[in-house]
Amino acid sequence: MNLLYDEAIDGPLPDIDRPALIKALREAAPGAALLHEAEQLRPYECDGLSAYRTVPLLVVLPETAEQVQAILRCCHRFQVPVVARGAGTGLSGGALPLAKGVLLSLARLKRILEVDPVSCVARVQPGVRNLAISEAAAPHGLYYAPDPSSQIACTIGGNVAENAGGVHCLKYGLTVHNVLRVDVITMDGERLTLGSEALDSPGLDLLALFIGSEGLLGVVVEVTVKLLPKPEVAKVLLASFDDVAKAGRAVSDIIAAGVVPGGLEMMDNLSIRAAEDFIHAGYPVDAAAILLCELDGVEADVAADCERVRAVLINAGAVDCRLARDENERKQFWAGRKNAFPAVGRISPDYYCMDGTIPKRALPMVLEKIGELSEHYGLRVANVFHAGDGNMHPLILFDANQPGELERAEEIGGKILELCVEVGGSITGEHGVGREKINQMCTQFNHDELETFHAVKFAFDPDALLNPGKNVPTLARCAEFGRLHVHHGQLPHPHLERF
Amino acid sequence: MNLLYDEAIDGPLPDIDRPALIKALREAAPGAALLHEAEQLRPYECDGLSAYRTVPLLVVLPETAEQVQAILRCCHRFQVPVVARGAGTGLSGGALPLAKGVLLSLARLKRILEVDPVSCVARVQPGVRNLAISEAAAPHGLYYAPDPSSQIACTIGGNVAENAGGVHCLKYGLTVHNVLRVDVITMDGERLTLGSEALDSPGLDLLALFIGSEGLLGVVVEVTVKLLPKPEVAKVLLASFDDVAKAGRAVSDIIAAGVVPGGLEMMDNLSIRAAEDFIHAGYPVDAAAILLCELDGVEADVAADCERVRAVLINAGAVDCRLARDENERKQFWAGRKNAFPAVGRISPDYYCMDGTIPKRALPMVLEKIGELSEHYGLRVANVFHAGDGNMHPLILFDANQPGELERAEEIGGKILELCVEVGGSITGEHGVGREKINQMCTQFNHDELETFHAVKFAFDPDALLNPGKNVPTLARCAEFGRLHVHHGQLPHPHLERF
């Protein structure tokens, strides 16, 4: 797998007159910080997918939307590609820089512009941290619902770019369900308002199109989010199973019973033991699988739902089912789950975290198949996932120092993602495509679908300067790595090749 | 207002060799019915917005997705515009035919292909009626949530085109929140799959872009919808207020209390009296406003929520608040609300139904302003609305036989929509733009935003053959009717003019 931008495959990037660009940027946006020394650029060479690194040509840090506009206009004039970056916590390399591109950090646009407790909305700049929105809304009893694990650090601008999810997205939705409006700057410096404070917006739904577009369509300079009343109470049930498939079926049963849990997470034995060793969460280390089911809302509702879910779990074959006795134990139960990745990191020199999604009916079959792959390749796989919405995070354990193990891990990973597509699911649940899954996109989509992506991208950014090489693969890349059928060796839109 | 397609404003349409087209369509899709006699075409001259009528050039009724593909390819070759139509219940003229265009009815693609009770999804053809999906899912205790008032007749294909809502969309979302995947045919006959059964899909979110695009991007041939477990019970509270503003504030208070009602509807005195006269729903005819608040879910939760909401309502100043004592009375309460439009029709020769949306904080102010407009123009306005999500349906009462009243009604209507935009809302909540609100789109969006719509439309349909003149106004139209600033009289993309 070649995951860095490869000019031979993805198309050549223009050579830039760096001193002239620096001069022009300083003139265009005098208030913005501009980094150009090697030691200043180094910290920006990767995001949360640190296996892949490229030092950018330059880094700019604007402080206002007007500076963003001036910078993009300037880069457009120089035809230099631009990669926007929030906090850099993304796990799929969406903010991986280009050696011939400008890295545009939104970190200094971090003002909370308005919190409106009557309409339950907040208007913020893109560099505001996810958790900071909830903190600002807390005095009104409100919060911002999507909660990626990185919420203490990640920014709302990055959340918009990746359509971030979180443990509670089963009940409260993804970023796209919680953002009402974004103001964006296009590559040629136009400011557009997409969406409104209304439930639906007339015309084409460019807001939903923009959310999750991974920096390909424009740069966000303002975000209006929905705020929700904080749930009065939250309770968590821990159920143990002697069989993974039974736990999988229990997930469907809970949903079918008409209860929408705040969170519904599943861990298999390998993850349970790793987490218990690390966190001492109180997990049953002999269980084949556990489910954590959180119920939140007003007190009387939650009490009734707990009883209901307990009955469903017992009926589905849980060998044990208990309610966290107090807030401390509830936090402990969650700490085990939230630290499952580092816990697995303690029992294996390396691991490779996948992010596929499958329809719930396929859960038992896919788990069985992963077991077979694990055995066939001789590598352990720990399964941790957002069971309620079918978003799996299989962790493939390997030792990069053992020759061939990395390759085998990547091979299992590829096969798991293909399996997800085969059963009607998708190659990413919440981490995005970025640079990491760019080749698998050729499996997920056919030629006509990829062409449509390119045509829509073209509508916003005809010169393909925004984050090239991410999210949507070039047709040339798919011809190289995917199953794409290229008719008589002709790519249909020569001007689209560089996307 | 000119609401029919006007070639002088919207751009010329090609003259078609009708006999040659008929011959070609018969050869391309021999299984599809083709209507071409005047008396066969007449029933298709309008949709639910019957004030505007145009007899189409031809009507075709395919029975399979392959026939749709063949028909679109054939129309593409002839460069003849195509307007797709579901049940024709739309209220904004989205399916209004073109005199020089083919009307493509999807009414015969009405098979339910699959109901999967484990994954809680159904796969259906576009001509399946909204309510028929819930009927097919009922044996599994499941249903399809969005419930437009026309749900007994309207089809899922039309719901996708209009992003249909309904009384319960506050809690359960619009069509876009309940559709997982669509298969569509583009104007040049490509079949694309947008979305997946997963919560999120990689690449650009073309599914959300497509939903609500009002037939501008492609024709739906298959829809995969989410099914939800049927709520165990539903209860409804009726609260009376002596002041409209108090009722408006009570809406915010309920949401702030952390309860998400299944429905939350408001009616003012004029609507209450009209509905009570007609339906005898048991409404308090002296109240300045009533709220209907439905709570649904599992029994214990609903009981607790009812107590909670009752306390909030009393606290907000309700002079009376009572629970429908049984299922009969609950249905009676809703019958009054659902028949509010025909009820108003009984007390006025004509009425004009608006569909604006506003942020909740603006509710008291906008209601006051509507009162002022009503007084100023000497026309009564009845207010009925989905209060929970700020979607208002002011009904402007007039008599078309009184000279000048229609014009005054249209003038108030225009001012109300502009007011909605001013306070941060939108010109349509759930009825769509269609042909009806095409001129107001010039108020809602600026030049750059409209250009972006055009560019995205161009990505799917470069010849602008799909439903031209609907949803997104031509820049020429905005120059004529809107506040659009046309720089030096130049329209930027001459090839986009016909959109």
Side-chain angles (χ1 to χ4, degrees):
Chain A
M1 280 204 283
N2 179 350
L3 289 178
L4 297 178
Y5 192 92
D6 184 337
E7 294 195 49
I9 294 168
D10 295 310
L13 295 174
D15 288 312
I16 304 296
D17 180 348
R18 195 168 179 264
L21 177 63
I22 292 176
K23 187 161 170 286
L25 282 169
R26 283 204 172 121
E27 281 168 18
L34 197 151
L35 313 179
H36 57 90
E37 310 277 0
E39 67 271 26
Q40 295 176 312
L41 300 178
R42 183 70 61 196
Y44 294 91
E45 67 180 356
C46 68
D47 60 12
L49 183 72
S50 59
Y52 304 96
R53 293 165 193 266
T54 308
V55 176
L57 187 70
L58 293 174
V59 174
V60 273
L61 295 111
E63 289 189 357
T64 66
E66 290 67 33
Q67 288 171 12
V68 173
Q69 209 159 11
I71 289 163
L72 287 173
R73 282 207 184 107
C74 182
C75 291
H76 187 243
R77 210 168 65 241
F78 276 78
Q79 290 284 297
V80 59
V82 173
V83 177
R85 176 187 166 109
T89 53
L91 292 172
S92 58
L96 183 70
L98 290 161
K100 292 183 179 179
V102 166
L103 191 92
L104 175 63
S105 166
L106 282 309
R108 295 191 181 178
L109 276 96
K110 55 179 182 193
R111 279 167 50 217
I112 292 178
L113 303 170
E114 188 189 359
V115 174
D116 176 346
V118 179
S119 293
C120 298
V121 297
R123 218 157 43 80
V124 303
Q125 289 188 321
V128 170
R129 290 176 306 108
N130 174 298
L131 199 59
I133 302 177
S134 293
E135 285 163 1
H140 308 287
L142 300 169
Y143 79 117
Y144 175 66
D147 58 343
S149 325
S150 56
Q151 70 176 146
I152 193 167
C154 66
T155 61
I156 188 71
N159 291 178
V160 166
E162 298 292 331
N163 190 18
V167 166
H168 289 86
C169 68
L170 173 65
K171 182 167 181 179
Y172 298 104
L174 302 165
T175 303
V176 71
H177 304 113
N178 291 277
V179 166
L180 294 166
R181 185 170 56 199
V182 292
D183 276 37
V184 307
I185 313 283
T186 58
M187 189 64 213
D188 56 356
E190 283 172 4
R191 183 174 176 138
L192 307 177
T193 299
L194 312 179
S196 71
E197 284 186 42
L199 194 60
D200 189 19
S201 216
L204 302 171
D205 190 353
L206 302 185
L207 175 66
L209 177 70
F210 196 92
I211 294 177
S213 62
E214 303 191 3
L216 262 68
L217 306 184
V219 176
V220 187
V221 291
E222 193 180 304
V223 186
T224 304
V225 301
K226 233 191 266 184
L227 300 175
L228 297 182
K230 233 186 268 181
E232 202 175 82
V233 286
K235 301 266 181 195
V236 66
L237 282 160
L238 168 66
S240 327
F241 292 84
D242 56 11
D243 174 18
V244 177
K246 277 186 199 164
R249 275 189 298 273
V251 169
S252 298
D253 292 349
I254 291 171
I255 307 289
V259 179
V260 185
L264 183 51
E265 301 281 312
M266 183 166 159
M267 295 168 72
D268 71 359
N269 182 264
L270 187 52
S271 337
I272 295 167
R273 279 187 290 128
E276 188 57 24
D277 260 14
F278 183 28
I279 299 293
H280 312 295
Y283 292 168
V285 292
D286 295 331
I290 58 168
L291 283 182
L292 288 173
C293 180
E294 179 154 300
L295 299 158
D296 62 0
V298 298
E299 187 138 22
D301 292 3
V302 171
D305 286 349
C306 280
E307 279 323 297
R308 198 178 177 84
V309 170
R310 184 201 294 274
V312 171
L313 287 165
I314 297 297
N315 210 31
V319 292
D320 186 37
C321 178
R322 65 199 192 80
L323 194 67
R325 74 184 100 75
D326 55 25
E327 192 55 17
N328 260 348
E329 193 174 51
R330 187 182 80 87
K331 286 196 173 141
Q332 234 8 57
F333 282 180
W334 278 119
R337 164 61 188 89
K338 287 190 178 168
N339 287 289
F341 291 10
V344 166
R346 292 171 75 239
I347 62 166
S348 173
D350 300 281
Y351 69 87
Y352 183 30
C353 168
M354 312 299 300
D355 171 45
T357 308
I358 53 169
K360 280 189 282 291
R361 65 167 173 279
L363 201 58
M365 190 270 266
V366 169
L367 284 173
E368 201 185 308
K369 204 94 183 171
I370 291 178
E372 287 169 22
L373 284 168
S374 162
E375 202 158 312
H376 177 79
Y377 284 93
L379 293 177
R380 292 178 297 170
V381 178
N383 285 296
V384 175
F385 46 103
H386 307 312
D389 48 32
N391 184 191
M392 317 197 309
H393 292 311
L395 302 172
I396 304 163
L397 280 57
F398 69 99
D399 182 350
N401 288 326
Q402 297 300 319
E405 285 213 355
L406 169 63
E407 290 71 21
R408 275 187 289 153
E410 287 187 341
E411 218 170 303
I412 300 188
K415 284 200 190 301
I416 291 176
L417 292 186
E418 283 170 26
L419 183 61
C420 292
V421 175
E422 260 169 53
V423 299
S426 108
I427 58 171
T428 170
E430 55 182 15
H431 296 172
V433 174
R435 205 55 206 158
E436 187 196 21
K437 279 161 229 140
I438 195 79
N439 293 342
Q440 274 87 13
M441 285 290 282
C442 308
T443 306
Q444 175 102 49
F445 296 101
N446 70 28
H447 182 273
D448 289 343
E449 288 155 359
L450 290 168
E451 264 204 285
T452 309
F453 283 140
H454 289 167
V456 171
K457 158 79 169 165
F458 186 81
F460 283 80
D461 177 24
D463 302 316
L465 294 172
L466 284 167
N467 218 5
K470 313 279 174 62
N471 195 8
V472 177
T474 54
L475 298 179
R477 175 170 285 269
C478 283
E480 184 100 1
F481 290 100
R483 296 161 170 177
L484 190 65
H485 173 66
V486 179
H487 189 61
H488 298 313
Q490 292 293 311
L491 294 172
H493 285 318
H495 63 283
L496 296 177
E497 264 177 61
R498 265 211 18 242
F499 289 117
Chain B
M1 280 202 284
N2 180 349
L3 288 177
L4 297 179
Y5 191 93
D6 183 338
E7 294 194 51
I9 294 167
D10 295 310
L13 294 173
D15 289 312
I16 304 297
D17 180 348
R18 195 167 179 262
L21 177 62
I22 292 176
K23 187 162 170 285
L25 282 169
R26 283 204 172 121
E27 281 169 18
L34 197 150
L35 312 180
H36 56 90
E37 311 278 359
E39 68 272 27
Q40 295 177 315
L41 299 178
R42 184 71 59 196
Y44 293 91
E45 67 180 357
C46 68
D47 61 10
L49 183 72
S50 58
Y52 303 97
R53 293 164 194 266
T54 309
V55 175
L57 187 70
L58 293 175
V59 174
V60 272
L61 295 112
E63 290 190 356
T64 66
E66 291 67 32
Q67 289 172 11
V68 174
Q69 210 160 9
I71 290 163
L72 286 173
R73 281 205 184 107
C74 182
C75 291
H76 187 244
R77 210 167 65 240
F78 276 79
Q79 289 283 297
V80 57
V82 173
V83 177
R85 175 186 165 111
T89 53
L91 292 171
S92 59
L96 183 69
L98 290 161
K100 292 183 179 178
V102 167
L103 189 91
L104 175 61
S105 166
L106 281 310
R108 295 191 180 177
L109 277 96
K110 56 179 180 193
R111 278 167 51 219
I112 293 178
L113 303 169
E114 189 189 358
V115 174
D116 176 346
V118 178
S119 294
C120 297
V121 296
R123 217 156 44 81
V124 304
Q125 290 188 321
V128 170
R129 289 176 307 109
N130 173 298
L131 198 59
I133 303 176
S134 293
E135 286 164 1
H140 308 287
L142 300 170
Y143 79 116
Y144 175 66
D147 58 344
S149 325
S150 57
Q151 69 176 144
I152 193 166
C154 67
T155 61
I156 189 71
N159 291 177
V160 166
E162 298 291 330
N163 191 19
V167 166
H168 290 86
C169 68
L170 173 65
K171 181 166 182 180
Y172 298 104
L174 302 165
T175 303
V176 71
H177 305 112
N178 290 277
V179 165
L180 294 166
R181 185 170 57 199
V182 292
D183 276 39
V184 307
I185 313 283
T186 58
M187 189 63 213
D188 57 356
E190 282 172 5
R191 183 174 175 137
L192 307 178
T193 299
L194 312 179
S196 72
E197 284 186 42
L199 194 60
D200 189 20
S201 217
L204 302 171
D205 190 353
L206 302 186
L207 175 66
L209 176 69
F210 196 92
I211 294 177
S213 61
E214 304 192 3
L216 262 67
L217 306 184
V219 175
V220 186
V221 291
E222 194 180 304
V223 186
T224 303
V225 302
K226 233 191 266 184
L227 300 174
L228 297 182
K230 232 185 269 181
E232 204 173 80
V233 286
K235 302 265 183 197
V236 65
L237 282 160
L238 167 66
S240 327
F241 293 83
D242 57 10
D243 174 18
V244 177
K246 277 185 199 163
R249 275 190 297 273
V251 169
S252 297
D253 292 349
I254 291 172
I255 307 288
V259 179
V260 185
L264 184 50
E265 301 281 312
M266 183 165 161
M267 295 168 72
D268 70 0
N269 181 263
L270 186 52
S271 336
I272 295 167
R273 279 187 290 127
E276 187 57 23
D277 261 12
F278 183 30
I279 300 292
H280 313 297
Y283 291 168
V285 292
D286 296 332
I290 58 167
L291 284 182
L292 288 173
C293 180
E294 179 155 300
L295 298 157
D296 63 359
V298 299
E299 188 139 20
D301 292 4
V302 171
D305 286 349
C306 280
E307 280 323 298
R308 197 178 177 85
V309 169
R310 184 200 294 274
V312 171
L313 287 165
I314 297 295
N315 210 31
V319 290
D320 186 37
C321 178
R322 65 198 194 79
L323 194 66
R325 74 184 100 75
D326 54 25
E327 191 56 16
N328 260 347
E329 194 174 51
R330 186 181 79 87
K331 286 197 174 141
Q332 238 2 62
F333 283 178
W334 278 118
R337 164 62 188 88
K338 287 190 177 168
N339 287 288
F341 291 11
V344 166
R346 293 171 74 240
I347 61 166
S348 172
D350 300 281
Y351 69 88
Y352 184 28
C353 168
M354 311 300 299
D355 170 46
T357 308
I358 53 169
K360 281 189 284 289
R361 65 166 172 276
L363 203 57
M365 189 269 267
V366 169
L367 284 174
E368 200 184 310
K369 204 94 185 172
I370 290 178
E372 288 170 22
L373 284 169
S374 162
E375 202 158 314
H376 177 79
Y377 284 93
L379 294 177
R380 292 179 296 170
V381 179
N383 284 295
V384 176
F385 47 103
H386 307 313
D389 49 32
N391 184 190
M392 317 197 309
H393 293 310
L395 302 172
I396 304 163
L397 280 56
F398 69 99
D399 181 351
N401 288 326
Q402 297 300 318
E405 286 213 356
L406 170 62
E407 291 70 23
R408 275 187 289 153
E410 286 186 342
E411 217 170 306
I412 299 188
K415 284 201 190 300
I416 292 176
L417 292 186
E418 284 171 26
L419 182 62
C420 291
V421 175
E422 261 169 52
V423 299
S426 108
I427 57 169
T428 170
E430 53 182 15
H431 297 172
V433 173
R435 205 57 205 158
E436 187 196 22
K437 279 161 228 139
I438 196 81
N439 293 341
Q440 275 85 14
M441 286 290 283
C442 308
T443 306
Q444 175 102 50
F445 296 101
N446 70 27
H447 182 274
D448 289 343
E449 288 155 358
L450 289 168
E451 264 205 286
T452 308
F453 283 141
H454 289 168
V456 171
K457 158 79 170 167
F458 186 80
F460 283 80
D461 176 24
D463 302 316
L465 294 172
L466 284 168
N467 217 6
K470 313 280 173 62
N471 195 8
V472 177
T474 54
L475 298 178
R477 175 169 285 269
C478 283
E480 185 98 2
F481 291 100
R483 297 161 171 175
L484 189 67
H485 174 66
V486 179
H487 189 61
H488 298 311
Q490 293 291 312
L491 295 173
H493 285 316
H495 64 280
L496 294 177
E497 265 176 59
R498 266 209 21 241
F499 289 117

